[in-house]
Amino acid sequence: PSAMAFRTGASTNTSFVLTDCGSSCTYDYITEVKHASGSEGDIKSISGGFTISALSAVGFNAPTNEVKSMAYIHPNLYVVDNTGDGSVNYLYKLDVTDSTKVGQTSSGGGWVKVTNLSVSVGDIGGMTVKGGNLVLAEESATTIHIVNEAGVSQGAFAMLDGTGPTMYAPGGLDAI
């Protein structure tokens, strides 16, 4: 797996697992692992999902083959498509509770483009959620961007800015 996003539920927790299929594929693949509290996870069928022959599993497609990170804010799974024209990347969301939208990913649909990210946002290598906002870590720089669910910037900071505990990440982040 190249990325994971986690959703907690009353009796079932879910991990979404991103598999990079390489440049020869149109889409990267996402599978869903569900498990009850205290039990081991097994890959399960997702409602609306379809068989991904390359993985021998049921799942759904990412919007492109240039997704490297994911984050979950109910009911949406968010991803950043790093295939921008060299100056813009795109924030997408998919309502994973809607089996129709999940099924539409088999033909390139289902995902909703939330926004074009600011040109100041480079390729994203890591993504998480804090306080209802998406935290995006650049893959080849030391910059962290915070955006809301609509993709509007809530701020940014450099990991080596000296205003707090510093971290050393000279080549950027692949995960946060």
Side-chain angles (χ1 to χ4, degrees), residues 2 17-21 26-31 50 52 59-70 77-81 92 94 102 104-111:
S2 57
V17 181
L18 176 70
T19 302
D20 183 355
C21 73
T26 305
Y27 308 107
D28 290 330
Y29 306 123
I30 300 170
T31 51
F50 48 89
I52 299 170
F60 55 99
N61 287 334
T64 71
N65 68 351
E66 289 294 330
V67 173
K68 296 181 180 162
S69 57
M70 302 183 297
L77 185 64
Y78 288 85
V79 301
V80 173
D81 169 14
Y92 284 90
L94 175 66
V102 170
Q104 289 170 346
T105 69
S106 67
S107 59
W111 289 93

PDB file of all heavy atoms in Angstrom, residues 2 17-21 26-31 50 52 59-70 77-81 92 94 102 104-111:
ATOM      1  N   SER A   2       0.385   2.291  -0.670  1.00  0.00           N
ATOM      2  CA  SER A   2       1.137   3.539  -0.687  1.00  0.00           C
ATOM      3  C   SER A   2       0.516   4.592   0.226  1.00  0.00           C
ATOM      4  O   SER A   2       1.142   5.604   0.502  1.00  0.00           O
ATOM      5  CB  SER A   2       1.259   4.069  -2.114  1.00  0.00           C
ATOM      6  OG  SER A   2      -0.003   4.257  -2.684  1.00  0.00           O
ATOM      7  N   VAL A  17      -7.209   1.551   1.854  1.00  0.00           N
ATOM      8  CA  VAL A  17      -5.825   1.268   1.487  1.00  0.00           C
ATOM      9  C   VAL A  17      -5.624   1.600   0.010  1.00  0.00           C
ATOM     10  O   VAL A  17      -6.308   1.055  -0.853  1.00  0.00           O
ATOM     11  CB  VAL A  17      -5.482  -0.216   1.754  1.00  0.00           C
ATOM     12  CG1 VAL A  17      -4.047  -0.502   1.387  1.00  0.00           C
ATOM     13  CG2 VAL A  17      -5.764  -0.584   3.207  1.00  0.00           C
ATOM     14  N   LEU A  18      -4.680   2.500  -0.269  1.00  0.00           N
ATOM     15  CA  LEU A  18      -4.368   2.925  -1.628  1.00  0.00           C
ATOM     16  C   LEU A  18      -3.214   2.097  -2.159  1.00  0.00           C
ATOM     17  O   LEU A  18      -2.182   1.959  -1.505  1.00  0.00           O
ATOM     18  CB  LEU A  18      -3.983   4.402  -1.646  1.00  0.00           C
ATOM     19  CG  LEU A  18      -3.521   4.992  -2.976  1.00  0.00           C
ATOM     20  CD1 LEU A  18      -4.686   5.086  -3.957  1.00  0.00           C
ATOM     21  CD2 LEU A  18      -2.895   6.363  -2.763  1.00  0.00           C
ATOM     22  N   THR A  19      -3.389   1.534  -3.351  1.00  0.00           N
ATOM     23  CA  THR A  19      -2.335   0.782  -4.017  1.00  0.00           C
ATOM     24  C   THR A  19      -1.957   1.511  -5.296  1.00  0.00           C
ATOM     25  O   THR A  19      -2.810   1.759  -6.147  1.00  0.00           O
ATOM     26  CB  THR A  19      -2.795  -0.654  -4.334  1.00  0.00           C
ATOM     27  OG1 THR A  19      -3.175  -1.293  -3.112  1.00  0.00           O
ATOM     28  CG2 THR A  19      -1.700  -1.442  -5.012  1.00  0.00           C
ATOM     29  N   ASP A  20      -0.685   1.847  -5.422  1.00  0.00           N
ATOM     30  CA  ASP A  20      -0.177   2.529  -6.617  1.00  0.00           C
ATOM     31  C   ASP A  20       0.011   1.482  -7.707  1.00  0.00           C
ATOM     32  O   ASP A  20       0.800   0.556  -7.559  1.00  0.00           O
ATOM     33  CB  ASP A  20       1.148   3.209  -6.292  1.00  0.00           C
ATOM     34  CG  ASP A  20       1.710   4.002  -7.463  1.00  0.00           C
ATOM     35  OD1 ASP A  20       1.134   3.963  -8.560  1.00  0.00           O
ATOM     36  OD2 ASP A  20       2.742   4.660  -7.261  1.00  0.00           O
ATOM     37  N   CYS A  21      -0.706   1.637  -8.806  1.00  0.00           N
ATOM     38  CA  CYS A  21      -0.619   0.634  -9.870  1.00  0.00           C
ATOM     39  C   CYS A  21       0.453   0.970 -10.893  1.00  0.00           C
ATOM     40  O   CYS A  21       0.652   0.231 -11.848  1.00  0.00           O
ATOM     41  CB  CYS A  21      -1.968   0.465 -10.547  1.00  0.00           C
ATOM     42  SG  CYS A  21      -2.417   1.831 -11.600  1.00  0.00           S
ATOM     43  N   THR A  26      -4.568   3.584 -15.666  1.00  0.00           N
ATOM     44  CA  THR A  26      -5.298   4.846 -15.680  1.00  0.00           C
ATOM     45  C   THR A  26      -5.616   5.318 -14.271  1.00  0.00           C
ATOM     46  O   THR A  26      -5.613   6.508 -13.992  1.00  0.00           O
ATOM     47  CB  THR A  26      -6.610   4.684 -16.472  1.00  0.00           C
ATOM     48  OG1 THR A  26      -6.292   4.185 -17.781  1.00  0.00           O
ATOM     49  CG2 THR A  26      -7.335   6.003 -16.619  1.00  0.00           C
ATOM     50  N   TYR A  27      -5.878   4.375 -13.357  1.00  0.00           N
ATOM     51  CA  TYR A  27      -6.276   4.713 -11.992  1.00  0.00           C
ATOM     52  C   TYR A  27      -5.480   3.893 -10.987  1.00  0.00           C
ATOM     53  O   TYR A  27      -5.168   2.728 -11.233  1.00  0.00           O
ATOM     54  CB  TYR A  27      -7.763   4.389 -11.761  1.00  0.00           C
ATOM     55  CG  TYR A  27      -8.695   4.974 -12.782  1.00  0.00           C
ATOM     56  CD1 TYR A  27      -9.294   4.170 -13.741  1.00  0.00           C
ATOM     57  CD2 TYR A  27      -8.988   6.333 -12.780  1.00  0.00           C
ATOM     58  CE1 TYR A  27     -10.168   4.709 -14.679  1.00  0.00           C
ATOM     59  CE2 TYR A  27      -9.861   6.874 -13.719  1.00  0.00           C
ATOM     60  CZ  TYR A  27     -10.445   6.065 -14.664  1.00  0.00           C
ATOM     61  OH  TYR A  27     -11.300   6.594 -15.588  1.00  0.00           O
ATOM     62  N   ASP A  28      -5.189   4.491  -9.816  1.00  0.00           N
ATOM     63  CA  ASP A  28      -4.720   3.724  -8.673  1.00  0.00           C
ATOM     64  C   ASP A  28      -5.944   3.054  -8.055  1.00  0.00           C
ATOM     65  O   ASP A  28      -7.078   3.413  -8.359  1.00  0.00           O
ATOM     66  CB  ASP A  28      -4.034   4.642  -7.652  1.00  0.00           C
ATOM     67  CG  ASP A  28      -2.706   5.180  -8.160  1.00  0.00           C
ATOM     68  OD1 ASP A  28      -2.043   4.498  -8.958  1.00  0.00           O
ATOM     69  OD2 ASP A  28      -2.331   6.295  -7.753  1.00  0.00           O
ATOM     70  N   TYR A  29      -5.711   2.070  -7.180  1.00  0.00           N
ATOM     71  CA  TYR A  29      -6.805   1.284  -6.613  1.00  0.00           C
ATOM     72  C   TYR A  29      -6.936   1.519  -5.121  1.00  0.00           C
ATOM     73  O   TYR A  29      -5.944   1.693  -4.418  1.00  0.00           O
ATOM     74  CB  TYR A  29      -6.558  -0.213  -6.828  1.00  0.00           C
ATOM     75  CG  TYR A  29      -6.301  -0.597  -8.260  1.00  0.00           C
ATOM     76  CD1 TYR A  29      -5.131  -1.247  -8.614  1.00  0.00           C
ATOM     77  CD2 TYR A  29      -7.228  -0.325  -9.257  1.00  0.00           C
ATOM     78  CE1 TYR A  29      -4.888  -1.621  -9.922  1.00  0.00           C
ATOM     79  CE2 TYR A  29      -6.991  -0.695 -10.565  1.00  0.00           C
ATOM     80  CZ  TYR A  29      -5.820  -1.347 -10.889  1.00  0.00           C
ATOM     81  OH  TYR A  29      -5.578  -1.714 -12.184  1.00  0.00           O
ATOM     82  N   ILE A  30      -8.175   1.480  -4.627  1.00  0.00           N
ATOM     83  CA  ILE A  30      -8.446   1.622  -3.202  1.00  0.00           C
ATOM     84  C   ILE A  30      -9.287   0.433  -2.763  1.00  0.00           C
ATOM     85  O   ILE A  30     -10.306   0.117  -3.380  1.00  0.00           O
ATOM     86  CB  ILE A  30      -9.190   2.942  -2.904  1.00  0.00           C
ATOM     87  CG1 ILE A  30      -8.337   4.127  -3.366  1.00  0.00           C
ATOM     88  CG2 ILE A  30      -9.505   3.046  -1.411  1.00  0.00           C
ATOM     89  CD1 ILE A  30      -9.053   5.460  -3.346  1.00  0.00           C
ATOM     90  N   THR A  31      -8.839  -0.241  -1.721  1.00  0.00           N
ATOM     91  CA  THR A  31      -9.624  -1.312  -1.115  1.00  0.00           C
ATOM     92  C   THR A  31      -9.985  -0.882   0.296  1.00  0.00           C
ATOM     93  O   THR A  31      -9.427   0.067   0.842  1.00  0.00           O
ATOM     94  CB  THR A  31      -8.858  -2.654  -1.086  1.00  0.00           C
ATOM     95  OG1 THR A  31      -7.575  -2.454  -0.505  1.00  0.00           O
ATOM     96  CG2 THR A  31      -8.694  -3.215  -2.484  1.00  0.00           C
ATOM     97  N   PHE A  50     -16.149  -3.070  -7.048  1.00  0.00           N
ATOM     98  CA  PHE A  50     -16.051  -4.018  -8.146  1.00  0.00           C
ATOM     99  C   PHE A  50     -14.733  -4.753  -8.033  1.00  0.00           C
ATOM    100  O   PHE A  50     -13.807  -4.315  -7.343  1.00  0.00           O
ATOM    101  CB  PHE A  50     -16.177  -3.297  -9.496  1.00  0.00           C
ATOM    102  CG  PHE A  50     -15.304  -2.084  -9.601  1.00  0.00           C
ATOM    103  CD1 PHE A  50     -13.999  -2.174 -10.081  1.00  0.00           C
ATOM    104  CD2 PHE A  50     -15.770  -0.851  -9.199  1.00  0.00           C
ATOM    105  CE1 PHE A  50     -13.194  -1.059 -10.154  1.00  0.00           C
ATOM    106  CE2 PHE A  50     -14.971   0.281  -9.279  1.00  0.00           C
ATOM    107  CZ  PHE A  50     -13.679   0.169  -9.749  1.00  0.00           C
ATOM    108  N   ILE A  52     -11.172  -5.877  -8.641  1.00  0.00           N
ATOM    109  CA  ILE A  52      -9.954  -5.309  -9.217  1.00  0.00           C
ATOM    110  C   ILE A  52      -9.036  -6.498  -9.499  1.00  0.00           C
ATOM    111  O   ILE A  52      -8.446  -7.061  -8.589  1.00  0.00           O
ATOM    112  CB  ILE A  52      -9.295  -4.308  -8.247  1.00  0.00           C
ATOM    113  CG1 ILE A  52     -10.267  -3.155  -7.956  1.00  0.00           C
ATOM    114  CG2 ILE A  52      -7.973  -3.801  -8.800  1.00  0.00           C
ATOM    115  CD1 ILE A  52      -9.814  -2.254  -6.829  1.00  0.00           C
ATOM    116  N   GLY A  59     -12.801  -3.419  -4.666  1.00  0.00           N
ATOM    117  CA  GLY A  59     -12.489  -2.064  -4.232  1.00  0.00           C
ATOM    118  C   GLY A  59     -13.026  -1.067  -5.223  1.00  0.00           C
ATOM    119  O   GLY A  59     -14.028  -1.317  -5.879  1.00  0.00           O
ATOM    120  N   PHE A  60     -12.337   0.052  -5.354  1.00  0.00           N
ATOM    121  CA  PHE A  60     -12.758   1.078  -6.296  1.00  0.00           C
ATOM    122  C   PHE A  60     -11.546   1.852  -6.769  1.00  0.00           C
ATOM    123  O   PHE A  60     -10.442   1.703  -6.233  1.00  0.00           O
ATOM    124  CB  PHE A  60     -13.834   1.988  -5.697  1.00  0.00           C
ATOM    125  CG  PHE A  60     -13.467   2.648  -4.396  1.00  0.00           C
ATOM    126  CD1 PHE A  60     -13.020   3.957  -4.370  1.00  0.00           C
ATOM    127  CD2 PHE A  60     -13.591   1.975  -3.193  1.00  0.00           C
ATOM    128  CE1 PHE A  60     -12.700   4.584  -3.184  1.00  0.00           C
ATOM    129  CE2 PHE A  60     -13.280   2.584  -1.998  1.00  0.00           C
ATOM    130  CZ  PHE A  60     -12.829   3.896  -1.992  1.00  0.00           C
ATOM    131  N   ASN A  61     -11.735   2.681  -7.798  1.00  0.00           N
ATOM    132  CA  ASN A  61     -10.630   3.421  -8.400  1.00  0.00           C
ATOM    133  C   ASN A  61     -10.460   4.795  -7.780  1.00  0.00           C
ATOM    134  O   ASN A  61     -11.443   5.460  -7.455  1.00  0.00           O
ATOM    135  CB  ASN A  61     -10.863   3.610  -9.904  1.00  0.00           C
ATOM    136  CG  ASN A  61     -10.678   2.330 -10.683  1.00  0.00           C
ATOM    137  OD1 ASN A  61      -9.962   1.439 -10.274  1.00  0.00           O
ATOM    138  ND2 ASN A  61     -11.336   2.250 -11.822  1.00  0.00           N
ATOM    139  N   ALA A  62      -9.200   5.213  -7.674  1.00  0.00           N
ATOM    140  CA  ALA A  62      -8.883   6.607  -7.360  1.00  0.00           C
ATOM    141  C   ALA A  62      -9.190   7.431  -8.613  1.00  0.00           C
ATOM    142  O   ALA A  62      -9.376   6.869  -9.696  1.00  0.00           O
ATOM    143  CB  ALA A  62      -7.411   6.727  -6.974  1.00  0.00           C
ATOM    144  N   PRO A  63      -9.220   8.762  -8.528  1.00  0.00           N
ATOM    145  CA  PRO A  63      -9.557   9.548  -9.723  1.00  0.00           C
ATOM    146  C   PRO A  63      -8.494   9.498 -10.815  1.00  0.00           C
ATOM    147  O   PRO A  63      -8.810   9.718 -11.987  1.00  0.00           O
ATOM    148  CB  PRO A  63      -9.743  10.970  -9.197  1.00  0.00           C
ATOM    149  CG  PRO A  63      -9.087  10.998  -7.865  1.00  0.00           C
ATOM    150  CD  PRO A  63      -9.103   9.607  -7.341  1.00  0.00           C
ATOM    151  N   THR A  64      -7.238   9.228 -10.473  1.00  0.00           N
ATOM    152  CA  THR A  64      -6.144   9.133 -11.452  1.00  0.00           C
ATOM    153  C   THR A  64      -5.117   8.129 -10.936  1.00  0.00           C
ATOM    154  O   THR A  64      -5.317   7.505  -9.897  1.00  0.00           O
ATOM    155  CB  THR A  64      -5.420  10.489 -11.663  1.00  0.00           C
ATOM    156  OG1 THR A  64      -4.665  10.788 -10.489  1.00  0.00           O
ATOM    157  CG2 THR A  64      -6.386  11.615 -11.975  1.00  0.00           C
ATOM    158  N   ASN A  65      -3.998   8.014 -11.629  1.00  0.00           N
ATOM    159  CA  ASN A  65      -2.915   7.161 -11.140  1.00  0.00           C
ATOM    160  C   ASN A  65      -1.809   7.993 -10.484  1.00  0.00           C
ATOM    161  O   ASN A  65      -0.694   7.534 -10.341  1.00  0.00           O
ATOM    162  CB  ASN A  65      -2.347   6.288 -12.263  1.00  0.00           C
ATOM    163  CG  ASN A  65      -1.620   7.099 -13.315  1.00  0.00           C
ATOM    164  OD1 ASN A  65      -1.659   8.313 -13.320  1.00  0.00           O
ATOM    165  ND2 ASN A  65      -0.969   6.410 -14.241  1.00  0.00           N
ATOM    166  N   GLU A  66      -2.119   9.210 -10.083  1.00  0.00           N
ATOM    167  CA  GLU A  66      -1.152  10.101  -9.431  1.00  0.00           C
ATOM    168  C   GLU A  66      -1.590  10.510  -8.030  1.00  0.00           C
ATOM    169  O   GLU A  66      -1.288  11.601  -7.569  1.00  0.00           O
ATOM    170  CB  GLU A  66      -0.912  11.346 -10.291  1.00  0.00           C
ATOM    171  CG  GLU A  66      -0.139  11.075 -11.557  1.00  0.00           C
ATOM    172  CD  GLU A  66       1.299  10.634 -11.305  1.00  0.00           C
ATOM    173  OE1 GLU A  66       1.891  11.046 -10.282  1.00  0.00           O
ATOM    174  OE2 GLU A  66       1.813   9.865 -12.126  1.00  0.00           O
ATOM    175  N   VAL A  67      -2.288   9.624  -7.340  1.00  0.00           N
ATOM    176  CA  VAL A  67      -2.722   9.884  -5.971  1.00  0.00           C
ATOM    177  C   VAL A  67      -1.728   9.213  -5.033  1.00  0.00           C
ATOM    178  O   VAL A  67      -1.386   8.047  -5.215  1.00  0.00           O
ATOM    179  CB  VAL A  67      -4.149   9.337  -5.734  1.00  0.00           C
ATOM    180  CG1 VAL A  67      -4.544   9.450  -4.277  1.00  0.00           C
ATOM    181  CG2 VAL A  67      -5.141  10.063  -6.630  1.00  0.00           C
ATOM    182  N   LYS A  68      -1.256   9.950  -4.022  1.00  0.00           N
ATOM    183  CA  LYS A  68      -0.265   9.400  -3.093  1.00  0.00           C
ATOM    184  C   LYS A  68      -0.702   9.482  -1.648  1.00  0.00           C
ATOM    185  O   LYS A  68       0.016   9.033  -0.763  1.00  0.00           O
ATOM    186  CB  LYS A  68       1.067  10.116  -3.279  1.00  0.00           C
ATOM    187  CG  LYS A  68       1.635   9.881  -4.655  1.00  0.00           C
ATOM    188  CD  LYS A  68       2.954  10.546  -4.849  1.00  0.00           C
ATOM    189  CE  LYS A  68       3.424  10.240  -6.259  1.00  0.00           C
ATOM    190  NZ  LYS A  68       4.443  11.111  -6.729  1.00  0.00           N
ATOM    191  N   SER A  69      -1.873  10.082  -1.397  1.00  0.00           N
ATOM    192  CA  SER A  69      -2.318  10.230  -0.015  1.00  0.00           C
ATOM    193  C   SER A  69      -3.835  10.321   0.034  1.00  0.00           C
ATOM    194  O   SER A  69      -4.481  10.648  -0.955  1.00  0.00           O
ATOM    195  CB  SER A  69      -1.690  11.487   0.600  1.00  0.00           C
ATOM    196  OG  SER A  69      -2.022  12.623  -0.166  1.00  0.00           O
ATOM    197  N   MET A  70      -4.377   9.996   1.227  1.00  0.00           N
ATOM    198  CA  MET A  70      -5.822  10.028   1.431  1.00  0.00           C
ATOM    199  C   MET A  70      -6.112  10.471   2.852  1.00  0.00           C
ATOM    200  O   MET A  70      -5.278  10.293   3.743  1.00  0.00           O
ATOM    201  CB  MET A  70      -6.432   8.631   1.269  1.00  0.00           C
ATOM    202  CG  MET A  70      -6.192   7.960  -0.039  1.00  0.00           C
ATOM    203  SD  MET A  70      -7.032   6.351  -0.139  1.00  0.00           S
ATOM    204  CE  MET A  70      -6.234   5.408   1.143  1.00  0.00           C
ATOM    205  N   LEU A  77     -14.085  10.480   1.474  1.00  0.00           N
ATOM    206  CA  LEU A  77     -12.672  10.168   1.373  1.00  0.00           C
ATOM    207  C   LEU A  77     -12.066  11.240   0.467  1.00  0.00           C
ATOM    208  O   LEU A  77     -12.566  11.479  -0.630  1.00  0.00           O
ATOM    209  CB  LEU A  77     -12.472   8.775   0.752  1.00  0.00           C
ATOM    210  CG  LEU A  77     -11.049   8.263   0.694  1.00  0.00           C
ATOM    211  CD1 LEU A  77     -10.473   8.067   2.091  1.00  0.00           C
ATOM    212  CD2 LEU A  77     -11.008   6.945  -0.075  1.00  0.00           C
ATOM    213  N   TYR A  78     -11.033  11.917   0.944  1.00  0.00           N
ATOM    214  CA  TYR A  78     -10.384  12.992   0.181  1.00  0.00           C
ATOM    215  C   TYR A  78      -9.049  12.502  -0.357  1.00  0.00           C
ATOM    216  O   TYR A  78      -8.323  11.777   0.321  1.00  0.00           O
ATOM    217  CB  TYR A  78     -10.130  14.213   1.079  1.00  0.00           C
ATOM    218  CG  TYR A  78     -11.387  14.963   1.424  1.00  0.00           C
ATOM    219  CD1 TYR A  78     -12.178  14.576   2.504  1.00  0.00           C
ATOM    220  CD2 TYR A  78     -11.802  16.049   0.668  1.00  0.00           C
ATOM    221  CE1 TYR A  78     -13.342  15.259   2.825  1.00  0.00           C
ATOM    222  CE2 TYR A  78     -12.965  16.740   0.981  1.00  0.00           C
ATOM    223  CZ  TYR A  78     -13.725  16.335   2.058  1.00  0.00           C
ATOM    224  OH  TYR A  78     -14.883  17.011   2.361  1.00  0.00           O
ATOM    225  N   VAL A  79      -8.717  12.920  -1.582  1.00  0.00           N
ATOM    226  CA  VAL A  79      -7.424  12.627  -2.199  1.00  0.00           C
ATOM    227  C   VAL A  79      -6.953  13.874  -2.942  1.00  0.00           C
ATOM    228  O   VAL A  79      -7.752  14.720  -3.313  1.00  0.00           O
ATOM    229  CB  VAL A  79      -7.475  11.420  -3.176  1.00  0.00           C
ATOM    230  CG1 VAL A  79      -7.939  10.152  -2.484  1.00  0.00           C
ATOM    231  CG2 VAL A  79      -8.349  11.730  -4.378  1.00  0.00           C
ATOM    232  N   VAL A  80      -5.636  13.964  -3.141  1.00  0.00           N
ATOM    233  CA  VAL A  80      -5.076  15.012  -3.986  1.00  0.00           C
ATOM    234  C   VAL A  80      -4.515  14.339  -5.223  1.00  0.00           C
ATOM    235  O   VAL A  80      -3.726  13.397  -5.129  1.00  0.00           O
ATOM    236  CB  VAL A  80      -3.974  15.811  -3.259  1.00  0.00           C
ATOM    237  CG1 VAL A  80      -3.289  16.772  -4.222  1.00  0.00           C
ATOM    238  CG2 VAL A  80      -4.573  16.573  -2.088  1.00  0.00           C
ATOM    239  N   ASP A  81      -4.961  14.812  -6.374  1.00  0.00           N
ATOM    240  CA  ASP A  81      -4.462  14.344  -7.664  1.00  0.00           C
ATOM    241  C   ASP A  81      -3.250  15.198  -8.009  1.00  0.00           C
ATOM    242  O   ASP A  81      -3.371  16.405  -8.200  1.00  0.00           O
ATOM    243  CB  ASP A  81      -5.574  14.495  -8.707  1.00  0.00           C
ATOM    244  CG  ASP A  81      -5.102  14.303 -10.134  1.00  0.00           C
ATOM    245  OD1 ASP A  81      -3.988  13.793 -10.338  1.00  0.00           O
ATOM    246  OD2 ASP A  81      -5.859  14.678 -11.043  1.00  0.00           O
ATOM    247  N   TYR A  92      -9.957  16.135  -4.569  1.00  0.00           N
ATOM    248  CA  TYR A  92     -11.165  15.380  -4.891  1.00  0.00           C
ATOM    249  C   TYR A  92     -11.761  14.779  -3.623  1.00  0.00           C
ATOM    250  O   TYR A  92     -11.048  14.543  -2.647  1.00  0.00           O
ATOM    251  CB  TYR A  92     -10.847  14.214  -5.837  1.00  0.00           C
ATOM    252  CG  TYR A  92     -10.621  14.593  -7.265  1.00  0.00           C
ATOM    253  CD1 TYR A  92      -9.345  14.911  -7.719  1.00  0.00           C
ATOM    254  CD2 TYR A  92     -11.667  14.612  -8.173  1.00  0.00           C
ATOM    255  CE1 TYR A  92      -9.126  15.240  -9.052  1.00  0.00           C
ATOM    256  CE2 TYR A  92     -11.457  14.940  -9.504  1.00  0.00           C
ATOM    257  CZ  TYR A  92     -10.181  15.255  -9.931  1.00  0.00           C
ATOM    258  OH  TYR A  92      -9.971  15.589 -11.246  1.00  0.00           O
ATOM    259  N   LEU A  94     -14.892  11.665  -2.433  1.00  0.00           N
ATOM    260  CA  LEU A  94     -15.840  10.621  -2.807  1.00  0.00           C
ATOM    261  C   LEU A  94     -16.644  10.255  -1.570  1.00  0.00           C
ATOM    262  O   LEU A  94     -16.066   9.921  -0.527  1.00  0.00           O
ATOM    263  CB  LEU A  94     -15.107   9.377  -3.320  1.00  0.00           C
ATOM    264  CG  LEU A  94     -15.976   8.160  -3.643  1.00  0.00           C
ATOM    265  CD1 LEU A  94     -16.889   8.439  -4.831  1.00  0.00           C
ATOM    266  CD2 LEU A  94     -15.113   6.936  -3.905  1.00  0.00           C
ATOM    267  N   VAL A 102     -19.541   5.156  -5.559  1.00  0.00           N
ATOM    268  CA  VAL A 102     -18.386   4.254  -5.493  1.00  0.00           C
ATOM    269  C   VAL A 102     -18.325   3.410  -6.762  1.00  0.00           C
ATOM    270  O   VAL A 102     -17.275   3.259  -7.375  1.00  0.00           O
ATOM    271  CB  VAL A 102     -18.441   3.366  -4.225  1.00  0.00           C
ATOM    272  CG1 VAL A 102     -17.391   2.270  -4.271  1.00  0.00           C
ATOM    273  CG2 VAL A 102     -18.265   4.224  -2.974  1.00  0.00           C
ATOM    274  N   GLN A 104     -19.440   4.110  -9.670  1.00  0.00           N
ATOM    275  CA  GLN A 104     -19.124   4.937 -10.842  1.00  0.00           C
ATOM    276  C   GLN A 104     -17.622   5.125 -11.036  1.00  0.00           C
ATOM    277  O   GLN A 104     -17.182   5.491 -12.124  1.00  0.00           O
ATOM    278  CB  GLN A 104     -19.792   6.313 -10.714  1.00  0.00           C
ATOM    279  CG  GLN A 104     -21.290   6.267 -10.875  1.00  0.00           C
ATOM    280  CD  GLN A 104     -21.960   7.586 -10.512  1.00  0.00           C
ATOM    281  OE1 GLN A 104     -21.374   8.474  -9.904  1.00  0.00           O
ATOM    282  NE2 GLN A 104     -23.233   7.708 -10.883  1.00  0.00           N
ATOM    283  N   THR A 105     -16.806   4.855 -10.016  1.00  0.00           N
ATOM    284  CA  THR A 105     -15.358   5.021 -10.173  1.00  0.00           C
ATOM    285  C   THR A 105     -14.775   4.025 -11.164  1.00  0.00           C
ATOM    286  O   THR A 105     -13.679   4.237 -11.680  1.00  0.00           O
ATOM    287  CB  THR A 105     -14.604   4.904  -8.829  1.00  0.00           C
ATOM    288  OG1 THR A 105     -14.658   3.555  -8.350  1.00  0.00           O
ATOM    289  CG2 THR A 105     -15.148   5.877  -7.793  1.00  0.00           C
ATOM    290  N   SER A 106     -15.507   2.956 -11.459  1.00  0.00           N
ATOM    291  CA  SER A 106     -15.002   1.967 -12.427  1.00  0.00           C
ATOM    292  C   SER A 106     -14.864   2.557 -13.817  1.00  0.00           C
ATOM    293  O   SER A 106     -14.087   2.083 -14.633  1.00  0.00           O
ATOM    294  CB  SER A 106     -15.897   0.732 -12.468  1.00  0.00           C
ATOM    295  OG  SER A 106     -17.172   1.064 -12.997  1.00  0.00           O
ATOM    296  N   SER A 107     -15.624   3.624 -14.096  1.00  0.00           N
ATOM    297  CA  SER A 107     -15.555   4.254 -15.416  1.00  0.00           C
ATOM    298  C   SER A 107     -15.087   5.712 -15.328  1.00  0.00           C
ATOM    299  O   SER A 107     -15.371   6.509 -16.215  1.00  0.00           O
ATOM    300  CB  SER A 107     -16.919   4.185 -16.099  1.00  0.00           C
ATOM    301  OG  SER A 107     -17.889   4.847 -15.308  1.00  0.00           O
ATOM    302  N   GLY A 108     -14.380   6.059 -14.248  1.00  0.00           N
ATOM    303  CA  GLY A 108     -13.827   7.403 -14.111  1.00  0.00           C
ATOM    304  C   GLY A 108     -14.757   8.406 -13.459  1.00  0.00           C
ATOM    305  O   GLY A 108     -14.431   9.582 -13.365  1.00  0.00           O
ATOM    306  N   GLY A 109     -15.911   7.977 -12.968  1.00  0.00           N
ATOM    307  CA  GLY A 109     -16.860   8.886 -12.324  1.00  0.00           C
ATOM    308  C   GLY A 109     -16.826   8.756 -10.817  1.00  0.00           C
ATOM    309  O   GLY A 109     -15.898   8.199 -10.244  1.00  0.00           O
ATOM    310  N   GLY A 110     -17.876   9.262 -10.181  1.00  0.00           N
ATOM    311  CA  GLY A 110     -18.020   9.139  -8.738  1.00  0.00           C
ATOM    312  C   GLY A 110     -17.304  10.213  -7.932  1.00  0.00           C
ATOM    313  O   GLY A 110     -17.872  10.792  -7.027  1.00  0.00           O
ATOM    314  N   TRP A 111     -16.054  10.457  -8.263  1.00  0.00           N
ATOM    315  CA  TRP A 111     -15.267  11.458  -7.549  1.00  0.00           C
ATOM    316  C   TRP A 111     -15.758  12.854  -7.921  1.00  0.00           C
ATOM    317  O   TRP A 111     -16.073  13.120  -9.070  1.00  0.00           O
ATOM    318  CB  TRP A 111     -13.785  11.344  -7.887  1.00  0.00           C
ATOM    319  CG  TRP A 111     -13.147  10.124  -7.313  1.00  0.00           C
ATOM    320  CD1 TRP A 111     -13.001   8.914  -7.942  1.00  0.00           C
ATOM    321  CD2 TRP A 111     -12.594   9.975  -6.019  1.00  0.00           C
ATOM    322  NE1 TRP A 111     -12.382   8.029  -7.106  1.00  0.00           N
ATOM    323  CE2 TRP A 111     -12.116   8.649  -5.910  1.00  0.00           C
ATOM    324  CE3 TRP A 111     -12.443  10.832  -4.937  1.00  0.00           C
ATOM    325  CZ2 TRP A 111     -11.502   8.158  -4.762  1.00  0.00           C
ATOM    326  CZ3 TRP A 111     -11.832  10.340  -3.787  1.00  0.00           C
ATOM    327  CH2 TRP A 111     -11.375   9.029  -3.707  1.00  0.00           C
TER     328      TRP A 111
END
